[in-house]
Amino acid sequence: MLFRKWRSVAKVGDVAPGAVIPVTVDGIDLALGRDGERYFATQRTCVHRAGDLSQGTIRRGELVCPQHGWRFSTETGRLVSVMDHCLTVYDVRVRGDQIEVDPVPRKRGR
Ligand code: FES
């Protein structure tokens, strides 16, 4: 059985639909976003040239980097146009009014 270490990182009202905010969990800087009613979390630093993805935008299920516009799936972290680049993604859940993140990165394909 997989041991989960959920950590509260924000309240539900802190992230508007379509917004991305910076959060830190266990010393790891993340971008926490809300794509419709679904929350997601990725590494905060872009794999291209270290753009701040917490300043990015969400468009049709994709997180768009503010630096050069690379687009990543909010579901898998995979770069949409170049398949060999991928963000580290983290599982997110809502408990009451708290948004919680498991600081253990999701395995690819999970
Ligand atoms: S730094 Fe993110 S696309 Fe260039």
Side-chain angles (χ1 to χ4, degrees), residues 46 48-51 65 67-68 70:
C46 181
H48 180 217
R49 293 199 178 163
C65 180
Q67 291 294 317
H68 308 100
W70 283 20

Side-chain angles (χ1 to χ4, degrees), residues 45-53 64-72 79:
T45 304
C46 181
V47 294
H48 180 217
R49 293 199 178 163
D52 184 351
L53 292 170
V64 182
C65 180
Q67 291 294 317
H68 308 100
W70 283 20
R71 303 182 335 263
F72 301 89
L79 183 63

Side-chain angles (χ1 to χ4, degrees), residues 31 40-48 51 53 63-65 70-79 84-90 105-108:
F40 66 92
T42 71
Q43 65 187 66
R44 185 170 164 186
T45 304
C46 181
V47 294
H48 180 217
L53 292 170
L63 174 60
V64 182
C65 180
W70 283 20
R71 303 182 335 263
F72 301 89
S73 165
T74 61
E75 180 70 34
T76 65
R78 189 169 299 280
L79 183 63
D84 62 342
H85 290 286
C86 192
L87 299 175
T88 300
V89 293
Y90 299 82
R106 190 188 307 163
K107 288 188 171 52
R108 304 269 194 263

